[in-house]
């Protein structure tokens, strides 16, 4: 029995409220089974519905049809069993960095424990000196690291991450990837990780769901059977394989785009 | 050139121009008094404490009225932002009321409360309430959806979500509301006081006018303008800037 089970999920958005028939199909017939403890990446070009899928798993929006269940229970709303790192930092500007990180812990433990946990994860993202600063005093990449610390502090078994390292510089990104891999190996969390970087997906994932756009579907369930920690030279081969799959997809999108342009 | 120097030069020129016009003698001093006469009146007013009592009286009316208007305005704004039917009905009325000049309420206040301080405070409350309500409403309605999403994934909902996220997130608009409420109340206060029995700046203004004391009229107009802008810049704009900066809405 799989842990996170996504069955025949469709999602469409109303584009124009005046003409109700004008809907766009963001996701079509998504089927996906993820085991407890798996690290799964969603990989695809922008606009293929990665964030939309993640938000439904988070319980923030509902599928138009189909079902998503976690440990056998239908996902109805967000909750402490799943933590989310959004594409943007989404820190609360009126709270200090530390208060942001302790926010999800408020009702669970006393102040002292909250602080210890917050400091632990802030140290992990190398921002413990900034605990008492406010978000506007931090760069975009630093803010995103605080958001990651906040999500990790929640200590949910399911961790949903939407391009979490997109705003980071190359060096920091590598450090963060290594930290995430370490945490994942230590805690056996289940991670659904959205990225558009092939290298990142290959480096971190057990499985890579390669997605195509318009409508968003999963075109390939790509298994990565490499020992960890992974070596750069081993990654290159798989990267090329995935590149080939995506290339076909990108060509299709290009063709479609040209056709559309010509028909206008 | 620093702003302060520019301003000093500007005001010195203005006063010289004013003095020049007076010295041309086109109008009698009873219509256009010179700067010195105005300064004398202000000085005399402070020396015999009448202007001090007026300012204290005005601030008393203002502070009581403003605080009440902020409380009512905040509650109204929250109501409008959270209850759709209230927004659709009461909201339209508040929008209309907001465009009614405060002085319009003065005759009504006098009929209801007579020539009392209650009358003045009533007009001040009306002056500040609606603008506060509309700003509070916008603040709550414009809370970034990403804050709500993030908070919900961290287990916040209901009252906790409202008081820990929605209210703080709407503070920048609320602060603007407070600043505008102060400005509107200050105007309303003067209108109301002009038809009252002092002490109060507005009362003394109309009193001076009745006795053809043009220098005192101008003196009080200057005092009203100075207090208005000093409070706005020293108190409210500072708070607003701090809040906007903290909330990351300005660099
Ligand atoms: N709230 C929404 N309303 C309308 N369309 C949306 C909404 N959210 C996403 N979409 C559309 O769904 C598609 C997928 O978006 P998204 O999930 O953000 O893609 P990705 O994260 O892969 O870049 C896009 O075409 C986008 O325009
Ligand atoms: Mg996205």
């Amino acid at each position: 029995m799989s842990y996170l089970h996504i069955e025949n999920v469709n999602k469409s958005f109303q584009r124009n409220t005046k003409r109700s028939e004008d809907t766009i199909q963001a996701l079509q017939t998504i089927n996906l089974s993820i085991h407890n403890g798996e690290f799964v990446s969603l990989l695809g070009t922008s606009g293929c519905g990665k964030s939309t899928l993640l938000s439904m798993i988070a319980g923030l929006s509902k599928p138009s049809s189909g079902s998503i269940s976690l440990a056998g229970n239908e996902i109805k709303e967000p909750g402490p069993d799943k933590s989310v790192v959004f594409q943007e930092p989404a820190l609360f500007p009126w709270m200090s960095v530390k208060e942001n990180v302790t926010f999800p812990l408020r009702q669970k433990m006393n102040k002292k424990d909250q602080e210890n946990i917050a400091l632990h994860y802030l140290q992990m993202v190398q921002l413990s000196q900034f605990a008492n600063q406010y978000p506007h005093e931090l760069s975009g990449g630093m803010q995103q690291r605080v958001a990651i610390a906040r999500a990790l502090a929640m200590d949910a078994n399911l961790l949903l991450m939407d391009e979490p390292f997109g705003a980071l510089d190359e060096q920091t990104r590598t450090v963060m990837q290594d930290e995430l891999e370490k945490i994942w190996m230590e805690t056996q969390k289940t991670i659904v990780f959205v990225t558009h970087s092939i290298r990142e997906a290959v480096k971190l994932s057990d499985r890579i769901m390669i997605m195509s756009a318009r409508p968003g579907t999963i075109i390939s369930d790509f298994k990565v059977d490499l020992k960890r920690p992974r070596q750069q030279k081993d990654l290159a081969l798989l990267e090329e394989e995935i590149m080939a799959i995506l290339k076909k997809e990108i060509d299709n999108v290009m063709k479609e785009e040209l056709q559309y342009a010509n028909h206008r | 050139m620093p702003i302060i120097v520019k301003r000093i030069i500007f005001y010195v020129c203005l006063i010289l121009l004013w003095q020049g016009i007076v010295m041309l003698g086109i109008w009698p001093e009873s219509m256009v008094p010179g700067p010195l006469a105005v300064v004398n009146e202000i000085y005399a007013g402070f020396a015999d404490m009448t202007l001090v009592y007026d300012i204290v009286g005005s601030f008393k009316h203002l502070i009581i009225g403003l605080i009440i208007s902020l409380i009512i305005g905040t509650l109204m704004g929250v109501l409008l932002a959270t209850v759709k039917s209230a927004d659709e009905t009461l909201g339209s009325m508040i929008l209309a009321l907001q465009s009614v000049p405060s002085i319009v309420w003065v005759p009504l206040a006098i009929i209801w409360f007579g020539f009392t301080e209650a009358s003045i405070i009533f007009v001040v409350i009306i002056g500040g309430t609606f603008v506060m309500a509309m700003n509070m409403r916008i603040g709550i309605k414009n809370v970034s959806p990403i804050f709500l999403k993030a908070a919900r994934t961290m287990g916040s909902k209901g009252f906790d979500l409202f008081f820990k996220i929605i209210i703080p997130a709407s503070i920048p608009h609320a602060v603007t509301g407070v600043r505008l409420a102060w400005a509107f109340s200050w105007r309303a206060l003067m209108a109301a006081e002009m038809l009252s029995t002092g002490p109060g700046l507005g009362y003394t203004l109309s009193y001076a006018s009745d006795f053809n004391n043009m220098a005192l009229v101008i003196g009080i107009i200057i005092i009203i303008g100075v207090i208005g802008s000093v409070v706005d810049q020293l108190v409210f704009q500072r708070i607003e800037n701090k809040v906007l900066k903290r909330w990351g809405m300005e660099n």
Side-chain angles (χ1 to χ4, degrees), chain A residues 59-60 77-79 82 84 86 88 90-95 103-104 106-107 134 136 150 154, chain B residues 146-157 160 164-166 168-170 245-248:
Chain A
L60 288 168
E77 53 178 11
K82 35 198 183 290
V84 185
F86 294 91
E88 60 262 64
L91 300 180
F92 305 126
W94 57 92
M95 297 181 195
F103 185 81
R106 287 171 307 145
Q107 280 133 357
Y134 282 83
H136 78 269
R150 180 173 69 176
M154 259 181 90
Chain B
I146 187 72
F147 290 155
L148 302 180
K149 282 192 207 171
R152 286 175 59 210
T153 65
M154 292 182 281
S156 183
K157 55 186 165 190
D160 187 65
K164 290 280 165 33
I165 303 298
I166 294 177
S170 59
K245 195 164 174 225
R246 165 75 58 85
W247 265 243

Side-chain angles (χ1 to χ4, degrees), chain A residues 13-15 24-27 44-53 87 162-163 194 211 214:
Chain A
F13 291 105
Q14 220 102 316
R15 204 186 320 215
I24 43 170
Q25 182 91 4
L27 289 169
T45 51
S46 76
C48 71
K50 305 182 294 291
S51 296
T52 305
L53 182 55
Q87 213 166 339
D162 195 349
E163 306 194 22
V194 169
M211 295 181 65
R214 301 181 211 178

Side-chain angles (χ1 to χ4, degrees), chain A residues 22-112:
Chain A
D22 193 10
T23 57
I24 43 170
Q25 182 91 4
L27 289 169
Q28 193 174 55
T29 338
I30 302 292
N31 282 293
L32 177 57
S33 272
I34 297 177
H35 292 293
N36 200 356
E38 245 182 335
F39 194 128
V40 175
S41 285
L42 305 175
L43 177 71
T45 51
S46 76
C48 71
K50 305 182 294 291
S51 296
T52 305
L53 182 55
L54 207 70
S55 144
M56 289 191 296
I57 299 173
L60 288 168
S61 58
K62 291 208 161 46
S64 304
S65 67
S67 73
I68 305 180
S69 62
L70 184 65
N73 302 314
E74 171 120 15
I75 293 178
K76 291 207 180 75
E77 53 178 11
D81 50 348
K82 35 198 183 290
S83 61
V84 185
V85 179
F86 294 91
Q87 213 166 339
E88 60 262 64
L91 300 180
F92 305 126
W94 57 92
M95 297 181 195
S96 71
V97 163
K98 190 166 70 188
E99 286 162 350
N100 266 284
V101 179
T102 53
F103 185 81
L105 308 175
R106 287 171 307 145
Q107 280 133 357
K108 291 188 203 158
M109 56 189 79
N110 66 40
K111 276 242 142 48
K112 193 87 206 104

Side-chain angles (χ1 to χ4, degrees), chain B residues 56-70 72 102 105-106 108-110 112-129 181 184-197 199:
Chain B
V56 169
S58 287
F59 266 92
K60 187 180 124 200
H61 301 148
L62 180 81
I63 289 171
I64 296 173
L66 184 58
I67 288 175
I68 297 175
S69 79
L70 293 180
I72 299 176
S102 309
W105 300 101
V106 175
L108 197 84
I110 290 173
W112 284 352
F113 303 104
F115 291 92
T116 62
E117 291 195 299
S119 247
I120 300 172
I121 291 170
F122 172 77
V123 175
V124 171
I125 293 172
I126 299 263
T129 299
F184 280 47
S185 302
W186 182 240
R187 288 161 177 71
L189 174 70
M190 291 309 145
E193 279 185 351
M194 284 186 71
L195 292 177
S196 76
T197 58

Side-chain angles (χ1 to χ4, degrees), chain A residues 83-85 151-152 156-161 180 189-192:
Chain A
S83 61
V84 185
V85 179
L152 291 173
N157 187 47
L158 178 62
L159 184 53
L160 306 169
M161 308 181 90
L180 182 64
K189 284 183 198 304
T190 310
I191 299 182
V192 181

